[in-house]
């Protein structure tokens, strides 16, 4: 008798996120369109053939209007992963996202964020100290990643 083992491997969409720090050490957070109180970092999926850094440059320019000349990507950590809840399953067949987070230093003289640089995804932005970031701003299914990111980059434990 032969047994066939079927392994169902989850499929994760590659994604990048930007932790933008200004000269005062404040962190940029952006409020999602039509989701009052839902704050996050500029982020988005990697296009086929892009490197994580190329994706970072494109996403930051699309979402907040800064070209690479306005900031420097200093460090990154990859491998952060979360699963989509059943009601948010991706139409392209992804079970979740695998993210690379970049910490980026905004350069002196950079313009203010332009939330209408491309297709507008954010309705507002603010600069906060990393310890001011709140867990309640993030959907439950993403919280573990944000907790890890805030600890890994800023030694901050998120609170409600």
């Amino acid at each position: 008798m032969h047994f066939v083992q079927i392994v169902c491997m989850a499929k994760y969409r590659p994604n990048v996120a930007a932790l933008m720090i200004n000269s005062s050490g404040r962190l940029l957070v952006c409020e999602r369109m039509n989701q009052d109180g839902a704050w996050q970092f500029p982020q988005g999926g990697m296009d086929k053939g892009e490197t994580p850094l190329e994706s970072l440059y494109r996403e930051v320019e699309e979402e907040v209007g800064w070209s690479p000349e306005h900031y420097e990507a200093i460090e990154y950590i990859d491998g952060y992963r979360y699963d989509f809840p059943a009601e948010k399953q991706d139409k392209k067949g992804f079970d979740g996202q695998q993210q690379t987070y970049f910490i980026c230093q905004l350069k002196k003289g950079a313009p203010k964020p332009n939330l209408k640089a491309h297709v507008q995804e954010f309705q507002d932005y603010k600069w906060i100290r990393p310890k001011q970031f709140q867990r309640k701003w993030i959907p439950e299914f993403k919280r573990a990643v944000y907790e890890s990111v805030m600890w890994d980059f800023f030694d901050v434990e998120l609170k409600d």
Side-chain angles (χ1 to χ4, degrees):
M1 184 179 290
H2 295 281
F3 292 96
V4 176
Q5 182 179 7
I6 299 174
V7 177
C8 186
M9 304 237 350
K11 192 172 174 190
Y12 292 91
R13 178 180 181 224
N15 179 287
V16 296
L19 302 166
M20 304 299 296
I21 304 294
N22 68 14
S23 61
S24 301
R26 294 190 183 267
L27 176 64
L28 178 70
V29 291
C30 300
E31 188 176 28
R32 295 214 40 93
M33 286 293 292
N34 306 316
Q35 293 182 24
D36 295 346
W39 295 85
Q40 68 175 55
F41 309 118
Q43 60 90 39
M46 289 177 56
D47 288 344
K48 190 170 185 157
E50 280 184 325
T51 66
L53 189 59
E54 289 167 340
S55 294
L56 173 77
Y57 292 156
R58 179 183 48 75
E59 286 293 338
V60 168
E61 191 148 13
E62 287 176 3
E63 293 190 358
V64 293
W66 290 322
S67 63
E69 68 199 35
H70 296 125
Y71 62 95
E72 180 181 359
I74 298 171
E75 179 184 353
Y76 72 91
I77 301 175
D78 61 9
Y80 297 103
R81 184 184 284 180
Y82 62 83
D83 294 324
F84 295 128
E87 67 273 9
K88 292 193 180 267
Q89 286 294 315
D90 190 90
K91 293 180 179 123
K92 296 178 184 171
F94 293 106
D95 299 303
Q97 296 205 93
Q98 181 161 317
Q99 298 182 292
T100 300
Y101 271 80
F102 288 85
I103 191 159
C104 303
Q105 181 67 54
L106 198 60
K107 293 181 180 177
K108 189 175 181 175
K112 291 181 179 180
N114 176 4
L115 303 182
K116 297 179 181 179
H118 190 61
V119 175
Q120 189 171 356
E121 295 186 35
F122 301 121
Q123 61 186 349
D124 200 3
Y125 73 90
K126 61 185 173 182
W127 294 95
I128 64 169
R129 296 262 177 234
K131 67 183 178 185
Q132 294 174 301
F133 196 97
Q134 297 177 31
R135 285 178 79 246
K136 69 180 180 183
W137 293 345
I138 303 300
E140 184 69 39
F141 69 98
K142 294 181 180 181
R143 285 185 182 169
V145 165
Y146 273 74
E147 289 169 346
S148 294
V149 166
M150 293 304 288
W151 181 257
D152 292 347
F153 284 95
F154 305 110
D155 292 332
V156 168
E157 189 172 337
L158 292 185
K159 298 175 183 165
D160 284 327

